[in-house]
Amino acid sequence: MQHVTEKAIMPRFRNLSEGEVEDKGGNDPVTIADKESEALLREGLAAIDATIGFVGEEVAHADPTVLDSLGDACWIVDPVDGTRNFAHGKPPFGVIIARAEGGLAQSGWLYDCLSGRFCAAHRGKGAFVDGERVTSRATGKTPPVAAISLIFMEEERRQATRRHISPNYELVDIPFCAAEQYPRLGLGQNDVSIFERTLAWDHAAGALWLEEAGGKVARPDGSPYRVDEWDRKGLLGASTPKLWEELSKLYAKL
């Protein structure tokens, strides 16, 4: 991840030429750095284990049948997470990789391209930042701090969220980058988050990392996040199980 950042991503940061940024639709940009990063990551991951599938964001956009591999053993890759920020020459942005099997992430890695922060988690073995084991912690603020993603919600749900959930929290901006949002939940910066869109390359690694750190990430009904349910809407994350339960009760009013 560090090698790909140095070779394919950072040389393009604030250095994108005309024609090197495209819109995949729905205000979802892709840059030449995304494409080059994914190609290099695919090559590197194949050298580690070529026997499992590869589900990259850009490959899946070009061929949606790739998503069928999410129920099998596979690598899941977001080559530049936070492309919207990257394309505008601002942080944060990162690289996300997960290894999944049986529809569940078994390992996950989140790399911050600018700071070099490296989050890693393995199912049943804990969560780590730069090699040091971490335990998820709340901000300790009253009211708790919430980062709520409204951008993929229908307008009626946005309004319901603003009525039933927002007044109970101190609201902060979302970073438009899962590689940043999940660490914020575990490292005492944010308490809760609501995600409407739950694509595997955005959430597989971060959800596992936060859970292994002692936080909680689950569907609003309490069921676990599965990478092969990528088209299912709604995901709640919290720095502690107690904060998750409080958020889920409010969410049930929507």
Side-chain angles (χ1 to χ4, degrees):
M1 296 167 88
Q2 183 181 53
H3 167 71
V4 170
T5 294
E6 293 172 352
K7 186 170 183 178
I9 299 175
M10 290 310 298
R12 305 282 188 179
F13 184 47
R14 297 174 178 164
N15 192 35
L16 290 165
S17 303
E18 186 176 351
E20 292 183 341
V21 183
E22 305 168 30
D23 188 351
K24 293 187 289 188
N27 194 24
D28 189 8
V30 59
T31 74
I32 189 171
D34 295 76
K35 297 175 181 179
E36 291 182 352
S37 173
E38 186 167 289
L40 289 170
L41 289 166
R42 186 170 193 171
E43 179 182 339
L45 292 170
I48 295 171
D49 188 349
T51 67
I52 66 176
F54 180 88
V55 181
E57 179 178 3
E58 308 314 326
V59 172
H61 176 71
D63 178 11
T65 64
V66 168
L67 296 169
D68 295 339
S69 300
L70 288 170
D72 304 320
C74 64
W75 298 109
I76 304 171
V77 170
D78 192 337
V80 180
D81 179 61
T83 297
R84 182 183 312 202
N85 298 333
F86 179 81
H88 286 89
K90 62 182 184 180
F93 54 90
V95 179
I96 304 178
I97 298 174
R99 184 183 63 80
E101 189 171 350
L104 297 173
Q106 303 300 324
S107 294
W109 303 269
L110 304 97
Y111 183 75
D112 185 304
C113 296
L114 289 169
S115 71
R117 182 187 61 204
F118 183 59
C119 299
H122 307 283
R123 186 168 293 278
K125 297 182 179 179
F128 301 82
V129 176
D130 297 331
E132 296 292 328
R133 188 160 187 164
V134 295
T135 299
S136 181
R137 62 184 187 272
T139 66
K141 293 186 176 182
T142 303
V145 178
I148 301 174
S149 178
L150 301 173
I151 56 176
F152 296 109
M153 288 184 183
E154 296 177 356
E155 184 57 31
E156 184 177 340
R157 286 184 66 77
R158 284 196 192 102
Q159 294 302 329
T161 300
R162 292 185 178 112
R163 286 195 306 271
H164 297 296
I165 296 179
S166 298
N168 299 278
Y169 296 96
E170 175 189 335
L171 299 182
V172 294
D173 290 338
I174 60 170
F176 296 99
C177 175
E180 172 65 18
Q181 185 58 62
Y182 279 104
R184 286 185 184 184
L185 286 168
L187 301 177
Q189 293 175 269
N190 292 173
D191 290 303
V192 299
S193 284
I194 298 175
F195 308 98
E196 182 75 356
R197 193 172 71 166
T198 65
L199 298 170
W201 42 81
D202 288 329
H203 296 283
L208 176 66
W209 179 85
L210 186 56
E211 284 264 313
E212 286 294 321
K216 183 169 181 176
V217 182
R219 298 294 184 176
D221 64 2
S223 59
Y225 175 73
R226 293 182 57 87
V227 302
D228 52 358
E229 295 179 339
W230 58 270
D231 56 346
R232 184 177 173 186
K233 293 182 178 180
L235 188 66
L236 309 181
S239 56
T240 69
K242 180 177 182 292
L243 285 165
W244 190 96
E245 294 295 338
E246 292 171 356
L247 175 61
S248 70
K249 290 177 183 176
L250 294 170
Y251 191 91
K253 297 178 181 180
L254 298 185

